[in-house]
Amino acid sequence: MNFEEVVMKRYATKSFDGKMIDETKVNKLLELIRYSASSFNLQPWKVKIVKDRQTKEKLSPLSWNQPQITTCSHLLIFCAETEVKELIDKLEKQMLAAGAEKEKIANYIKMMRDFEAGMTPEQRLIWAQKQAYIALGNAINGAKALGFDSCPMEGFDPKGYARELGLPAHIVPTVVCPIGFANDKPMAKMRFDAKDIIA
Ligand SMILES: Cc1cc2nc3c(=O)[nH]c(=O)nc-3n(C[C@H](O)[C@H](O)[C@H](O)COP(=O)(O)O)c2cc1C
């Protein structure tokens, strides 16, 4: 499938058939997610993966009982990583290890540090969440390209998820994406006219 076909054939799947996706393919999807674009390349997200039935059943009432949660193969929970200072340190180390010269990247690192310091905790969370949504975009199109289906979902209780999954406070569930093999049929695509999306 070329990219255009992927975009046109992907749809928000409402129910999966319960079959598990091969782990090799799941790992390929995680690679597509890992290579998502992000502001400053700081990659401020973490993906929590749930595949056991018991946890999915516990998460179901925290997801408006939407059937995707219990019928999917893997449930990907895209979380915002709000410890951005640590990410800057990590990226700097990685750049140096890749051969960058400290003085040459100093301005770039300072720009990131100033940017981070200028945000309130709330702004930092929103910024990280925006990046998580870019990764979500790769996930939903990537799933279709790899031969399975997905559903982006905001219909869940982020605080309840964090509690149930034992996530630390700096990792904030933002949007979820069950993946698996569809057990439903896509509805006809409905979109606004091309002219309506031009501001
Ligand atoms: C951020 C986001 C949150 C969504 N949340 C849900 C959800 O909780 N449950 C659901 O069934 N669909 C959800 N959807 C799917 C949308 O309803 C769907 O993408 C839209 O109707 C267009 O249909 P299509 O994706 O099949 O083309 C969500 C989509 C996005 C992008």
Side-chain angles (χ1 to χ4, degrees):
M1 254 191 263
N2 64 33
F3 188 67
E4 192 179 351
E5 286 173 309
V6 166
V7 170
M8 294 306 174
K9 288 195 174 148
R10 180 217 58 81
Y11 71 98
T13 299
K14 304 296 172 199
S15 162
F16 299 92
D17 69 4
K19 282 199 202 103
M20 294 304 283
I21 303 168
D22 192 86
E23 287 300 326
T24 321
K25 287 215 165 165
V26 175
N27 287 335
K28 279 190 180 174
L29 184 65
L30 292 175
E31 280 300 272
L32 298 179
I33 292 167
R34 189 165 73 90
Y35 275 87
S36 299
S38 63
S39 175
F40 294 114
N41 196 22
L42 280 170
Q43 307 153 65
W45 61 71
K46 290 271 187 307
V47 184
K48 175 82 184 168
I49 304 170
V50 170
K51 53 181 181 175
D52 70 283
R53 178 186 296 273
Q54 216 184 355
T55 310
K56 286 176 195 164
E57 270 162 18
K58 282 188 186 151
L59 294 175
S60 176
L62 298 168
S63 325
W64 310 353
N65 293 310
Q66 297 187 78
Q68 295 96 321
I69 303 298
T70 45
T71 59
C72 70
S73 163
H74 293 59
L75 178 62
L76 309 182
I77 298 135
F78 286 85
C79 304
E81 169 58 271
T82 57
E83 285 191 338
V84 181
K85 257 189 206 158
E86 286 76 356
L87 295 177
I88 299 172
D89 293 343
K90 189 167 156 181
L91 188 61
E92 181 182 21
K93 272 194 198 124
Q94 198 173 356
M95 288 167 89
L96 294 172
E101 287 172 41
K102 200 167 172 76
E103 314 75 62
K104 285 205 175 144
I105 62 167
N107 281 343
Y108 185 67
I109 303 294
K110 182 178 179 320
M111 192 166 63
M112 286 195 279
R113 292 202 195 287
D114 291 348
F115 174 75
E116 191 277 336
M119 287 190 284
T120 63
E122 193 191 18
Q123 287 170 330
R124 200 171 294 126
L125 171 62
I126 293 170
W127 173 80
Q129 288 182 315
K130 287 182 198 165
Q131 317 306 317
Y133 276 86
I134 298 173
L136 170 75
N138 272 26
I140 59 176
N141 287 315
K144 195 75 208 168
L146 288 165
F148 45 91
D149 301 287
S150 68
C151 186
M153 294 176 69
E154 279 179 333
F156 73 105
D157 167 10
K159 287 202 171 84
Y161 264 54
R163 203 174 44 242
E164 193 58 53
L165 299 169
L167 296 172
H170 62 94
I171 295 180
V172 182
T174 294
V175 63
V176 304
C177 182
I179 54 172
F181 300 98
N183 198 22
D184 65 352
K185 291 268 174 293
M187 289 194 293
K189 286 273 180 220
M190 188 186 294
R191 293 294 190 266
F192 297 135
D193 287 344
K195 66 172 171 38
D196 294 339
I197 66 157
I198 307 298

